[in-house]
Amino acid sequence: MAVGKKKAIRDFTQGNPTKELLMFSLPIACTLILQTFYNMADTLIIGNFVGDTAMGAVGTAGTVSSVLLMLVYGLSTGMGVVVSQFIGAKDYKNVKKSMMTAMYIVIGVSLLMTVIGISFSPAILRMMHVEGETLEMAVVYLRIIFAGTIAVAFYNMGNVLSRSLGDSVTPMIVLIITAIMNIALNILFVTVFHMKTDGVAYATVLANIISAISCWTILWRKTEAIHPDAEALKPDKEAAKLILKIGVPATLQNSTMTIGALLIQTMINDFTIPTLPIMAAFAAATKVEQLIAYPPGGVSDGMQTFAGQNVGAGKFDRVGKGLTSCFKIIAVYSIFSACVLGFGGRFLMGLFTSTEATIMIGSYYLIATAIGIFFNGIDYTFRFTLTGAGDATASTVLSVIGLVMRVGIAYVLAYFTPLGYIGIFIGTPASWALNSIFGMIRYKSGKWKEKCLIKQREVVEG
């Protein structure tokens, strides 16, 4: 491979960890913000032009689609970890094998998710206590979204692969273009064509298709390391084992997060009545939360690639230095985001709706989030670090513990104390704080150092 082409791959095994993580993570943070705008456009436009009922339908439907799509996301994560460790070991032959094998797996799973999602959407929504007009709107939205699963899968693979190669700029560029297009299409379909939840769903699918095509086109032109040869085009059994070794636990980990969101959403729906529009408030407030509070997720996400490359190179001490840098960055940003959420919650909720009850309830959720937002960053950074190191099972266990605590605390506070729905809001930040402790214990044990995947490299090459 030409030297010039190799420069398209960022090497995290050298240089100042803080500088490298910041340079890599800032575009990821921007991408997360753009993704939030991308998703927020549905809720914002539907809330202002159609109403709170439609906004609640889109919010609930989005939770369901996230749960079923986690399998696709998890397998892409498996590919990303394997690729980053092979890059750390400078093994570009197995980079190509891993990429192509992952692609075959993800395509198959995407088609399966499409069938399941379209067929079972009404039944799943009824189990979540969604009824009447809200149910009808949510079913329409979900079925269109699931019809576009393959586009989501290809974009997500391209996104993960870019980051594994040390390129966090390409996903950001792609999202800038497609986020603008998604917002424009939302406005066109809803305000001009007078469509409802179907309009925002079609806009999302079209934007996903363009995202996928754009991301892979840029990747292909920039990075020769991903161009498969005849050997790499064949599905590789050993590469598949490595991908699934990380992908299956990553799927379970991601699924626990979204299952937790689904169970919380079910409780929210249970408390919702016409005079207490909690479903609509929750839909809007979670979008605000993602926009303001989650940019440090770019650092946590970057730490997965950082850990993968350094574990692949056998530089375990450097992983710890990167982790320390992450915590400092998260601490600084958490102060800013807590102030915005705590003091500006009512204003931000007012962008979605003019209903006073909805604004008030949403602001309560944002205050609860502000109190625990620092621990959210710590919790997820430990999980991403462990996954990048190859210790995906431990990361999954942490996710399960977090799920049990989040739902358990919310349930007890909501149904067995006078707090009611406020107790549901408190459960999430409380689980972040407790789970951060468990993450620290696992990392300090050092067992993740024994989980490097590329010690099996000779098997894959054979």
Side-chain angles (χ1 to χ4, degrees):
M1 184 183 302
V3 174
K5 294 296 183 180
K6 287 188 179 180
K7 288 183 179 179
I9 299 175
R10 182 183 294 275
D11 188 353
F12 283 111
T13 63
Q14 302 177 41
N16 181 281
T18 302
K19 180 180 177 181
E20 291 295 323
L21 276 167
L22 275 173
M23 289 179 64
F24 181 64
S25 299
L26 282 175
I28 298 178
C30 291
T31 301
L32 289 173
I33 293 171
L34 287 167
Q35 283 179 324
T36 302
F37 271 122
Y38 187 99
N39 296 325
M40 183 186 287
D42 292 0
T43 307
L44 189 64
I45 292 170
I46 209 78
N48 278 284
F49 292 99
V50 183
D52 282 6
T53 299
M55 184 166 69
V58 170
T60 300
T63 303
V64 175
S65 64
S66 295
V67 172
L68 294 183
L69 289 173
M70 277 304 107
L71 185 55
V72 173
Y73 297 153
L75 292 172
S76 295
T77 298
M79 175 199 69
V81 172
V82 173
V83 167
S84 66
Q85 290 200 12
F86 279 129
I87 287 172
K90 307 297 186 290
D91 184 354
Y92 299 106
K93 176 181 178 181
N94 277 302
V95 167
K96 297 177 182 181
K97 281 187 178 183
S98 302
M99 181 195 73
M100 290 306 303
T101 301
M103 187 174 293
Y104 298 137
I105 296 171
V106 169
I107 289 173
V109 170
S110 298
L111 295 175
L112 178 63
M113 289 300 101
T114 298
V115 174
I116 292 175
I118 291 175
S119 302
F120 294 100
S121 291
I124 295 171
L125 289 165
R126 289 191 186 96
M127 289 173 60
M128 295 176 65
H129 307 159
V130 182
E131 302 173 345
E133 186 181 8
T134 304
L135 174 63
E136 295 175 8
M137 290 182 173
V139 168
V140 170
Y141 180 88
L142 266 184
R143 284 179 164 165
I144 296 170
I145 292 295
F146 278 118
T149 300
I150 192 71
V152 175
F154 267 98
Y155 167 69
N156 194 64
M157 277 193 68
N159 192 350
V160 171
L161 183 61
S162 291
R163 295 178 186 178
S164 299
L165 297 169
D167 175 13
S168 55
V169 176
T170 294
M172 180 182 71
I173 294 173
V174 170
L175 265 198
I176 289 173
I177 298 170
T178 52
I180 293 172
M181 181 168 294
N182 183 44
I183 293 170
L185 288 172
N186 273 316
I187 294 172
L188 175 66
F189 291 159
V190 174
T191 65
V192 178
F193 296 157
H194 304 293
M195 301 170 75
K196 296 182 180 180
T197 55
D198 55 338
V200 294
Y202 282 125
T204 298
V205 170
L206 287 172
N208 282 333
I209 292 171
I210 294 168
S211 295
I213 294 172
S214 302
C215 192
W216 278 98
T217 299
I218 295 171
L219 265 174
W220 188 265
R221 291 180 177 178
K222 285 180 62 176
T223 313
E224 188 178 317
I226 67 169
H227 292 188
D229 50 26
E231 183 181 0
L233 286 173
K234 301 174 184 177
D236 188 274
K237 181 179 178 181
E238 298 303 327
K241 287 181 180 178
L242 291 181
I243 292 165
L244 293 174
K245 184 176 181 179
I246 297 296
V248 172
T251 297
L252 294 174
Q253 177 182 341
N254 291 337
S255 295
T256 58
M257 290 185 277
T258 49
I259 288 171
L262 188 148
L263 293 174
I264 295 296
Q265 181 73 60
T266 302
M267 284 188 244
I268 291 292
N269 297 348
D270 201 30
F271 276 89
T272 299
I273 56 176
T275 57
L276 207 60
I278 305 174
M279 186 189 299
F282 186 72
T286 51
K287 294 297 185 294
V288 173
E289 174 192 32
Q290 292 164 13
L291 176 64
I292 303 300
Y294 286 3
V299 181
S300 301
D301 202 331
M303 191 60 204
Q304 178 172 296
T305 302
F306 186 94
Q309 287 195 18
N310 281 286
V311 167
K315 296 184 177 182
F316 301 116
D317 290 344
R318 190 171 167 81
V319 175
K321 293 177 181 178
L323 197 61
T324 300
S325 298
C326 281
F327 291 160
K328 292 177 181 177
I329 296 168
I330 290 169
V332 172
Y333 186 82
S334 294
I335 296 172
F336 163 77
S337 60
C339 290
V340 173
L341 292 172
F343 297 109
R346 289 184 62 85
F347 169 77
L348 294 168
M349 285 295 301
L351 300 176
F352 291 83
T353 178
S354 59
T355 304
E356 179 59 30
T358 306
I359 293 173
M360 178 189 69
I361 294 168
S363 68
Y364 292 159
Y365 177 86
L366 295 177
I367 291 171
T369 297
I371 293 171
I373 197 60
F374 170 72
F375 296 103
N376 176 63
I378 300 301
D379 178 18
Y380 280 89
T381 298
F382 274 125
R383 294 194 213 175
F384 278 109
T385 300
L386 293 171
T387 300
D391 195 8
T393 301
S395 185
T396 301
V397 171
L398 288 174
S399 297
V400 173
I401 293 172
L403 166 65
V404 172
M405 289 191 297
R406 181 185 183 189
V407 175
I409 294 170
Y411 185 82
V412 170
L413 293 179
Y415 293 98
F416 296 97
T417 75
L419 289 170
Y421 70 87
I422 299 296
I424 303 175
F425 298 167
I426 294 173
T428 298
S431 69
W432 291 336
L434 292 171
N435 218 37
S436 296
I437 297 173
F438 294 116
M440 179 181 65
I441 292 171
R442 178 63 182 187
Y443 176 80
K444 289 290 187 181
S445 74
K447 293 182 179 179
W448 54 273
K449 297 177 183 179
E450 305 168 4
K451 305 295 182 178
C452 181
L453 298 175
I454 65 164
K455 61 187 176 183
Q456 303 177 30
R457 179 174 52 184
E458 69 278 5
V459 179
V460 179
E461 290 177 342

